[in-house]
Amino acid sequence: MQTPPFDQRETEREREREQMVQRQMAARGIRDEAVLEAMAAVPRHAFVPGDLDEHAYADTPLPIGQSQTISQPYMVAMMAEALQLEPDDRVLEIGTGSGYAAAVLAEIAGDVYTVERYKSLAESAQKALQAQGYDDVHVRHGDGSLGWPEHAPYDGIVVAAGGPSIPEPLKEQLAIGGRLVIPVGPAPRTQKLVRLVRRSEDEYEEENLGHVRFVPLVGEAGWQADQVEQRPGRARRSVWRGRGGGQAATGDTASRPAPAARATRPPTTPELIAREAEPIPAIETADLDGLLDRIGDARVVLLGEASHGTAEFYDMRARITRELIARQGFNVVAVEADWPDAMRINQYVTDTEVQAAAERPFTRFPAWMWANAQVLAFVEWLRRYNDHFDQAEEQVGFYGLDLYSLNTSIDVVLRYLEDVDPETAQVARQRYGCLSPWESDPAAYGAAALTGRYRECEDDVVAMLQDLLDKRLSYAPADGPRYFNAEQNARLVTNAERYYRLMYYGGAQSWNLRDRHMFETLQALLDHHGPQSRAVVWAHNSHLGNAAATEMGARGQFNVGQLSREEWGDDAYLVGFGTHRGTVAAASEWGGVMEIKQVMPSHKRSYERLCHNASQTAEELEAFLLHLREPDEAAVREQLLAER
């Protein structure tokens, strides 16, 4: 892979840093402008190992050697904000690590003193800091639990490792009015983040900032080495579990205080879920009236799923969709499949002759994803439903949103133009000819374009789409549906060409381009079907949940669910699917033979586990719907808002 020029790479890093600050910090509540400016100024990539450079601005800790990590960027910002630093403050940091946090502190305050237990890390951090011009950061190799008394008192002390209690030497080295931020807890891996403010010589004020997990603070005033069990060669993570502490922040029932009396104890989260749950005794007979009432006049309903090979997910989506079509007038079904493939299905269910691809549909994805018995049953139902209507405008269409059908879509555009405008078809053949060497493997085009050994085809495919759009007024009146199909295929080729190039850069760009394409295709479908149109979308949870409310957003990714929320607000109704156990159709590798695999039990700190625990409270709750927008019991929503 060709390395981008230095100036280009530095520009990309600046952009990644800006996105990190906005999405990982400002969006999560960091308000101190000095902290945000410092996080934007310090090049985190200069403090991570070279082989992890591409992950430098990801929302995650990264290993740096000696079983230590460079902390999650948000954690660095949050702890720096908690110190409430002024420009001339003197700061002590315990746990230098890579030197990154010390550089951030140096951007905010005056002199920074930092102590590192491991000599090799202290030396490498010193070099990295000097290389970046941080001459006011002083590094020492030693026992951090004892601080650095020679330069005390400190206006701020921050500790990037968890101790059993707050070390007395650090309290003594804190100036009057100074702030000490440190993780403490009864076990090396279970901690709360504490801010200690020194009010007088012997008076301190303590505040709990929430649950965290840091590497242990090993030293004379911390944990003893033999108290800490560490698997050799494996880095432990420092991660944020949520501001505020207690059950609501972590979902950890182990630390919940015992109730004073059993009769008055508050309900657990699973008990609240069970109270709010609407049972699904069987998919075909489940009462969906409550769900349909809540959907109401929504413009789009997004039905997610937690796998691509689970019969119950397909059956339940089909059942909900049939009800939305028959009872509430939805007239567009859009699925996570390629446009030309789904157009073949659309022709069948609407009994029309809109031109579709010549090759057999659904050959790119595994057969069990779309060419399965559940989808077939829904398609047959949709055809029978449409048979009741004479006007095409009254029928329900079936469409694909995805963009992988590069060459199939080229074929559709060419065949359409050959029929309506042979001269333009010849121009199109020449332009699309740029991509012809890659018909059997479009992904190889991206690799070739990236190396510079093959020219990019972007200008050609964009020009072809523009030609089609320019001739909309002459093509569309004569054969609106056929033109719309050709236009969407030309748009798909344009976006697919970019997608196959961007996928080799990694990061969020290729994901975002794909979901932006799917969202814009959804918009085009609604526009095509008129102002009264309403759509049901079938795709994976990762595409249809609101990325802005999840870790995806912190990584710079958005998705169809987020874009729908931004476009239609509450008129976008999102329904996610999940499970705790069962079987799934899958393969051990792409293109492999289908296997029936056992689903792993849900993670013990996940939403799925809470739902599973709720289902154990009553026999009729083996499957259920859980309403979260405005539940009868507001407490269930509040408890489920905690990060998991």
Side-chain angles (χ1 to χ4, degrees), residues 196-248:
L196 192 76
V197 181
R198 189 170 192 178
R199 297 303 184 190
S200 66
E201 284 296 327
D202 54 5
E203 184 182 5
Y204 298 87
E205 183 179 295
E206 186 174 314
E207 180 183 359
N208 179 7
L209 300 180
H211 284 265
V212 291
R213 184 178 300 167
F214 274 82
V215 296
L217 174 64
V218 177
E220 185 177 328
W223 294 102
Q224 303 307 300
D226 58 1
Q227 293 178 295
V228 179
E229 295 180 5
Q230 171 72 19
R231 189 175 301 174
R234 183 177 178 182
R236 287 195 300 271
R237 297 158 62 90
S238 53
V239 296
W240 172 238
R241 293 297 182 193
R243 190 183 295 267
Q247 169 68 4

Side-chain angles (χ1 to χ4, degrees), residues 206-417:
E206 186 174 314
E207 180 183 359
N208 179 7
L209 300 180
H211 284 265
V212 291
R213 184 178 300 167
F214 274 82
V215 296
L217 174 64
V218 177
E220 185 177 328
W223 294 102
Q224 303 307 300
D226 58 1
Q227 293 178 295
V228 179
E229 295 180 5
Q230 171 72 19
R231 189 175 301 174
R234 183 177 178 182
R236 287 195 300 271
R237 297 158 62 90
S238 53
V239 296
W240 172 238
R241 293 297 182 193
R243 190 183 295 267
Q247 169 68 4
T250 68
D252 185 353
T253 57
S255 60
R256 186 192 304 157
R262 185 174 183 82
T264 61
R265 75 164 176 83
T268 65
T269 304
E271 287 171 344
L272 285 170
I273 291 172
R275 289 183 192 176
E276 193 71 21
E278 298 173 5
I280 303 176
I283 291 173
E284 283 304 316
T285 60
D287 182 359
L288 299 182
D289 288 351
L291 174 64
L292 297 180
D293 287 344
R294 292 188 292 270
I295 289 172
D297 296 328
R299 187 78 190 276
V300 295
V301 174
L302 312 181
L303 302 178
E305 45 122 345
S307 84
H308 289 310
T310 299
E312 289 84 355
F313 290 160
Y314 283 94
D315 282 335
M316 195 67 209
R317 285 197 303 197
R319 169 77 201 288
I320 295 171
T321 305
R322 294 199 311 265
E323 299 290 339
L324 290 171
I325 291 170
R327 295 169 57 180
Q328 297 193 209
F330 281 73
N331 60 347
V332 172
V333 179
V335 305
E336 185 190 339
D338 293 330
W339 178 275
D341 294 344
M343 185 54 69
R344 292 283 291 276
I345 304 300
N346 186 67
Q347 285 185 255
Y348 177 73
V349 300
T350 58
D351 197 21
T352 59
E353 296 185 2
V354 177
Q355 176 192 343
E359 65 182 50
R360 182 171 174 266
F362 302 125
T363 55
R364 182 179 63 82
F365 281 119
W368 59 88
M369 182 166 176
W370 294 118
N372 60 52
Q374 287 71 31
V375 172
L376 175 61
F378 174 75
V379 166
E380 293 294 351
W381 177 90
L382 194 54
R383 180 180 171 93
R384 292 193 301 272
Y385 178 85
N386 283 335
D387 282 345
H388 292 91
F389 303 99
D390 296 327
Q391 301 297 319
E393 300 80 39
E394 298 176 296
Q395 295 183 324
V396 179
F398 186 95
Y399 303 95
L401 298 176
D402 226 331
L403 52 52
Y404 289 111
S405 59
L406 180 66
N407 292 288
T408 307
S409 292
I410 288 174
D411 178 65
V412 171
V413 176
L414 291 176
R415 288 194 292 121
Y416 171 75
L417 289 173

Side-chain angles (χ1 to χ4, degrees), residues 548-624:
T550 73
E551 186 178 324
M552 290 175 65
R555 295 198 301 264
Q557 294 176 318
F558 54 73
N559 63 1
V560 175
Q562 177 181 341
L563 296 173
S564 296
R565 273 273 194 262
E566 293 169 356
E567 176 71 14
W568 295 295
D570 284 347
D571 283 337
Y573 200 94
L574 281 53
V575 182
F577 288 34
T579 189
H580 169 75
R581 61 189 175 201
T583 56
V584 63
S588 297
E589 58 186 12
W590 188 262
V593 177
M594 187 188 84
E595 304 172 49
I596 303 300
K597 293 178 175 284
Q598 195 72 32
V599 174
M600 294 181 66
S602 58
H603 192 284
K604 66 180 181 180
R605 291 182 180 270
S606 68
Y607 297 105
E608 287 88 348
R609 179 59 65 89
L610 289 174
C611 289
H612 171 67
N613 291 343
S615 73
Q616 304 303 294
T617 65
E619 209 172 296
E620 68 272 15
L621 288 183
E622 184 173 352
F624 58 85

